[in-house]
Amino acid sequence: RMVNIKTLLFLLAIVLGYISVLWLQQKPNKTFSPPEPAIACSVISLEETITPVLGTKHFVVAAYADNRDGRRTRIIGIINRNSGDKLYCVFCCGNRTFFTTTAEVQQHSDHFGFPYVTTDLLCEMAPVCKSSYVMVRGPSPSVGNGARFLPIQNQHQQEDEFPYEFTVCISSLFGNYNNVLQFIQTLEVYKILGIQKVMIYKTNCSQTLDKVLSYYKEEGVVEIIPWPITTVLNPSHGWNYAEHKGDLHYYGQLTTLNDCIYRNMYSSKYVLLNDIDEIIAPYKHRDLHELMKYLSSQNPKAGVFLIENHIYPKNVFDETGRFSQQAKWKNVPGINILEHVHREPDRKEVYNPTKMIVNPRRVEQTSVHSVLKHYGESYRVPPDVSKIVHIRVPLQGQLSKEALIRDTKLWEYADEVIKKTNEVIKRVIESES
C-alpha cells in the first residue's frame, strides 16, 4: 500500500506539472518566459516617482498588486502615444530568478491631445514566482546589470479597517506656488472636517510654503511625494494641447491622481480628489464623517460621489471687513478665504464641473472631474448637501456683486481657523524673520 501511495503521488505530480505547462502555453495574449538566473535586484526607493523605461520614450511611476479582477500587478506609467513599443514586466522572484511576461498596455482615454498619456501596464503574476519587485522593459531581450525594480505595493489588502478615514490628494504643486495664507487656512478647515492626511505631489513651491509643508509634515497631516516631472518632460501649464502645447497634460495631473488612489487604496476609507484651493464642504452635516455616513447609506452601490464646483471670486470681498484685520496675516502672501463669501450663480447652459470623494477600492482609472473605470455606481451629490468652495479668479467676471450669492459657510469654522492659522504663522513664519 505504501508503494501504491508513492506511485499515485508521483503520477499526480506529473499530471500537475503537465497542466501548469498547458496553462502557460494557452493563456491568451500573454507571453511567459521561463525563469532565468537573477542578479541581485536593485530596488527603486518609493521616493523616486518617475523612472525611465530603458531603450524607450516611456516612464513608470509605481507598481501595485491588484487582485480585484484576477491576480495581477498594475504599473502606473506615462507612455508616448506615438510609440508602438511592446513592453514586458520582469518580476524579481523570491528564489533569485527573473520571470518575464508581456504587459497589457491600457492607455487612459483622457489625454486631451498630448503626446504622452497616463497608462496602466497590467501583468499577470505567474504561480512559480513569488515576487515583491517588478521592472518594465522594452523590446530589449534581457535584463542588464543596470536594471532597477519597483517595489510592488498593496500586497497586504484589507477591506474593513483603515488607518485613515479621509485622505486628500493634491495632484501637483508647481510654479513656485506661494499662496501661503490660503494653504494654511484650507489645511485647518480640512482638519475640522475630519481629514487626517493630505498627500501632495510636489514639483516646486516657494521657500515660505516649503517651511509650512515641513511643519504639517512633522505634525503628521501632510505627506509629500516628490514629482520632478519637469526634469524628464516638458509638461503643459494648461489642460488643452491645441492651446497650451507641451508633452503632458497639466504637470502630469492625471498620473498623480491615479497614483494617489492606488497609494491610499488600503490605507484610507475615502479619498478626496480636489485642488489645493478647493474645499469640499458639507452643508447639512457637521463634518465629512457624517456626510459620508448619510451618502453611503442612501447610495450603498456607489463608490464615487461627485461634488459640484462653485466659484467664489477672489476679487470680491466681504463688505463688513469682519475678518480683514488679522495683524499676523498682513505680511503672509496669499488669499484670506474668510473674506470671500460671495458665490457665482449656476449657469443653466453650462455644465457645472465636479470633483470627487471616492472609495479607492472601487476605482480602476480616474480623470480630473469623473472616473474613467470603476466598480459600482457614481452619485452626483445635490449642491444643497455638499458643494466645493473654490476661491479663485471669477468665471463670470461681468456680474455685479449684487448678482452673486452670499454664502458664509466658511465662517462656521472661523474661530478655530483663526486660532490655528495664527499658531502656524507664529511657529513657522515669524520665527524665521
Side-chain angles (χ1 to χ4, degrees):
R1 290 182 179 177
M2 183 63 69
V3 173
N4 290 338
I5 291 174
K6 289 183 178 180
T7 302
L8 287 173
L9 290 175
F10 177 73
L11 292 173
L12 180 61
I14 292 176
V15 172
L16 290 175
Y18 180 70
I19 291 173
S20 297
V21 171
L22 289 177
W23 180 84
L24 290 174
Q25 290 178 342
Q26 296 179 7
K27 195 66 176 173
N29 301 320
K30 305 293 177 184
T31 301
F32 291 96
S33 298
E36 55 187 276
I39 56 176
C41 296
S42 175
V43 179
I44 296 172
S45 164
L46 292 178
E47 293 293 305
E48 298 181 62
T49 51
I50 306 176
T51 303
V53 178
L54 296 180
T56 74
K57 297 180 179 180
H58 313 310
F59 304 88
V60 290
V61 174
Y64 301 94
D66 189 351
N67 300 331
R68 293 173 297 179
D69 186 20
R71 185 171 177 264
R72 58 188 182 178
T73 296
R74 181 184 301 269
I75 301 170
I76 295 175
I78 301 172
I79 300 298
N80 186 292
R81 292 195 297 125
N82 299 320
S83 170
D85 292 332
K86 195 169 186 177
L87 299 176
Y88 301 86
C89 291
V90 182
F91 293 94
C92 184
C93 304
N95 56 353
R96 294 178 64 79
T97 58
F98 290 141
F99 198 87
T100 302
T101 178
T102 305
E104 178 186 342
V105 180
Q106 291 188 355
Q107 294 186 9
H108 289 208
S109 57
D110 274 7
H111 52 71
F112 303 106
F114 289 93
Y116 282 82
V117 59
T118 302
T119 301
D120 292 341
L121 305 174
L122 301 177
C123 289
E124 292 193 20
M125 296 284 290
V128 298
C129 177
K130 295 182 179 179
S131 179
S132 296
Y133 310 105
V134 65
M135 69 165 288
V136 176
R137 69 166 176 84
S140 175
S142 62
V143 178
N145 290 330
R148 304 181 69 220
F149 287 77
L150 300 168
I152 302 174
Q153 303 175 63
N154 292 350
Q155 300 217 49
H156 303 288
Q157 303 176 0
Q158 74 284 342
E159 295 285 346
D160 49 2
E161 294 184 5
F162 309 97
Y164 306 100
E165 185 174 14
F166 296 103
T167 296
V168 175
C169 291
I170 304 299
S171 58
S172 186
L173 194 63
F174 60 88
N176 289 313
Y177 191 83
N178 195 37
N179 192 350
V180 178
L181 182 58
Q182 182 171 6
F183 179 82
I184 296 172
Q185 293 174 325
T186 299
L187 262 288
E188 296 304 331
V189 173
Y190 282 169
K191 289 157 66 176
I192 294 171
L193 292 177
I195 299 295
Q196 294 117 330
K197 184 170 70 169
V198 179
M199 184 170 281
I200 298 175
Y201 288 74
K202 175 188 168 188
T203 300
N204 55 54
C205 64
S206 71
Q207 290 185 351
T208 302
L209 186 59
D210 208 27
K211 294 172 184 176
V212 173
L213 291 175
S214 297
Y215 170 83
Y216 282 110
K217 182 178 178 180
E218 292 176 6
E219 192 180 63
V221 176
V222 164
E223 181 177 348
I224 304 296
I225 307 297
W227 188 244
I229 190 66
T230 53
T231 65
V232 296
L233 290 172
N234 175 31
S236 173
H237 296 269
W239 70 273
N240 186 289
Y241 177 72
E243 179 180 355
H244 302 105
K245 304 304 179 183
D247 294 326
L248 181 68
H249 167 269
Y250 206 55
Y251 285 85
Q253 179 185 34
L254 296 172
T255 308
T256 57
L257 287 176
N258 281 273
D259 182 66
C260 197
I261 284 177
Y262 280 90
R263 279 183 184 253
N264 293 284
M265 189 162 285
Y266 298 102
S267 63
S268 190
K269 185 174 182 180
Y270 294 108
V271 169
L272 284 72
L273 305 176
N274 57 269
D275 291 342
I276 199 167
D277 57 355
E278 298 172 337
I279 298 173
I280 295 179
Y283 272 66
K284 290 188 174 181
H285 301 86
R286 180 174 55 88
D287 54 23
L288 290 172
H289 173 80
E290 294 298 326
L291 171 66
M292 293 311 299
K293 182 179 178 181
Y294 166 76
L295 290 177
S296 59
S297 67
Q298 297 296 309
N299 307 275
K301 294 182 179 180
V304 177
F305 298 88
L306 304 169
I307 315 293
E308 284 190 6
N309 188 20
H310 291 262
I311 305 301
Y312 297 67
K314 70 176 186 178
N315 61 343
V316 180
F317 295 82
D318 167 45
E319 61 276 2
T320 69
R322 178 180 174 186
F323 298 107
S324 61
Q325 304 301 319
Q326 295 294 319
K328 288 182 178 293
W329 300 357
K330 291 183 178 180
N331 296 321
V332 180
I335 295 169
N336 174 6
I337 64 175
L338 298 176
E339 290 186 287
H340 304 282
V341 292
H342 293 83
R343 168 166 48 91
E344 291 184 353
D346 287 344
R347 293 171 289 176
K348 293 182 179 180
E349 72 281 5
V350 176
Y351 176 81
N352 203 10
T354 61
K355 294 297 174 68
M356 294 172 279
I357 301 176
V358 303
N359 173 344
R361 293 158 300 285
R362 296 192 185 182
V363 177
E364 190 173 344
Q365 295 178 359
T366 191
S367 187
V368 178
H369 302 293
S370 62
V371 292
L372 302 176
K373 293 183 179 181
H374 63 110
Y375 305 90
E377 299 176 355
S378 294
Y379 176 70
R380 191 177 180 103
V381 179
D384 63 326
V385 175
S386 178
K387 64 172 65 77
I388 294 175
V389 178
H390 189 183
I391 300 168
R392 50 155 288 168
V393 295
L395 290 182
Q396 303 178 62
Q398 77 283 1
L399 295 180
S400 66
K401 187 173 183 179
E402 291 70 28
L404 302 177
I405 301 167
R406 186 173 173 82
D407 180 351
T408 59
K409 176 64 183 179
L410 293 183
W411 286 7
E412 296 178 15
Y413 318 121
D415 290 345
E416 185 71 8
V417 168
I418 291 171
K419 176 184 174 182
K420 293 294 185 180
T421 300
N422 286 337
E423 289 179 4
V424 176
I425 292 173
K426 181 178 180 180
R427 293 183 184 182
V428 179
I429 299 176
E430 292 183 350
S431 63
E432 297 291 334
S433 60

